[in-house]
């Protein structure tokens, strides 16, 4: 929907549509890119860079995103992309260095307990590390704050399914 609004040059509606996506799926790279495009069109380089930064961290292997970030950062006289602790935690998780990822996520949450993306990252890492009870507890915390969070719902469904609680999984 956001992309359709963009094609119609309805930037306000597009931005709202991308925001709605990010509420339920805070790891949606395309929504961050859409928001970045709109912010850039409006001359808000800081917001555009922030959105591209989020997209880059979610898609570390996407060279085109990095190039776009670098180009825009150069125009705005801002520093180049540097991986954050969140990006490092995601990198550990994707590399199956789960104990390292768990430690990073927990440290991120100690300094900023409201970060839903960090709660999600920790929940997924715990699930991958075969700690379903802890992952389910984290998902419950997420869903209290963001009831429509897709990944938290999917993780809870998978945990219930593997525990043969099929009605709950549905």
């Amino acid at each position: 929907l956001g992309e359709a609004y963009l094609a119609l040059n309805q930037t306000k509606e597009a931005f709202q549509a991308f925001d709605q996506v990010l509420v339920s799926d805070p790891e949606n790279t395309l929504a961050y890119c859409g928001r970045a495009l709109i912010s850039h069109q409006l001359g808000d380089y800081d917001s555009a860079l922030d959105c591209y930064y989020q997209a880059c961290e979610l898609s570390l292997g996407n060279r085109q995103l990095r190039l776009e970030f670098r180009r825009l950062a150069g125009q705005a006289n801002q520093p180049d992309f540097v991986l954050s602790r969140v990006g490092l935690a995601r990198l550990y998780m994707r590399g199956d260095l789960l104990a390292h990822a768990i430690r990073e996520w927990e440290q991120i949450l100690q300094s900023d307990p409201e970060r839903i993306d960090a709660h999600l990252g920790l929940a997924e890492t715990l699930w991958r590390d075969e700690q379903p009870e802890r992952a389910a507890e984290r998902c419950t915390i997420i869903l209290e704050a963001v009831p429509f969070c897709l990944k938290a719902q999917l993780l809870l469904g998978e945990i219930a399914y593997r525990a043969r609680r099929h009605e709950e999984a549905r």
Side-chain angles (χ1 to χ4, degrees):
L1 184 59
E3 290 176 10
Y5 280 132
L6 266 181
L8 295 170
N9 289 322
Q10 296 178 352
T11 55
K12 180 181 176 186
E13 292 83 357
F15 201 85
Q16 289 173 343
F18 290 131
D19 274 350
Q20 286 178 334
V21 168
L22 290 171
V23 166
S24 63
D25 185 7
E27 296 177 337
N28 191 300
T29 304
L30 291 176
Y32 279 115
C33 288
R35 287 181 58 182
L37 284 171
I38 294 167
S39 296
H40 187 208
Q41 287 174 357
L42 297 174
D44 185 353
Y45 288 97
D46 289 338
S47 292
L49 282 169
D50 183 55
C51 290
Y52 275 132
Y53 186 87
Q54 296 295 328
C56 285
E57 285 213 327
L58 289 166
S59 298
L60 288 172
N62 190 323
R63 186 171 177 226
Q64 187 171 348
L65 268 178
R66 282 259 186 101
L67 289 173
E68 187 59 27
F69 180 91
R70 185 173 290 136
R71 186 187 65 73
L72 190 58
Q75 286 178 353
N77 292 322
Q78 296 292 325
D80 199 0
F81 179 82
V82 177
L83 194 63
S84 73
R85 291 192 80 172
V86 170
L88 181 61
R90 282 192 180 105
L91 192 60
Y92 283 149
M93 183 177 64
R94 290 179 184 146
D96 277 339
L97 299 169
L98 302 177
H100 293 294
I102 290 168
R103 202 167 27 256
E104 283 297 320
W105 289 124
E106 288 173 341
Q107 288 177 1
I108 291 163
L109 287 168
Q110 278 182 344
S111 63
D112 190 356
E114 302 298 314
R115 285 196 70 152
I116 295 299
D117 61 335
H119 282 285
L120 270 176
L122 179 56
E124 182 179 352
T125 306
L126 291 167
W127 173 74
R128 287 179 182 217
D129 196 41
E130 298 180 13
Q131 298 184 48
E133 295 85 14
R134 287 186 65 203
E137 288 171 11
R138 188 63 49 180
C139 288
T140 302
I141 291 168
I142 295 164
L143 291 172
E144 286 173 4
V146 185
F148 300 106
C149 184
L150 178 62
K151 185 178 270 188
Q153 291 175 353
L154 291 171
L155 285 171
L156 279 176
E158 176 66 16
I159 291 165
Y161 181 80
R162 286 185 181 187
R164 297 191 186 337
R165 298 188 314 265
H166 299 292
E167 283 303 311
E168 183 183 337
R170 272 190 221 104

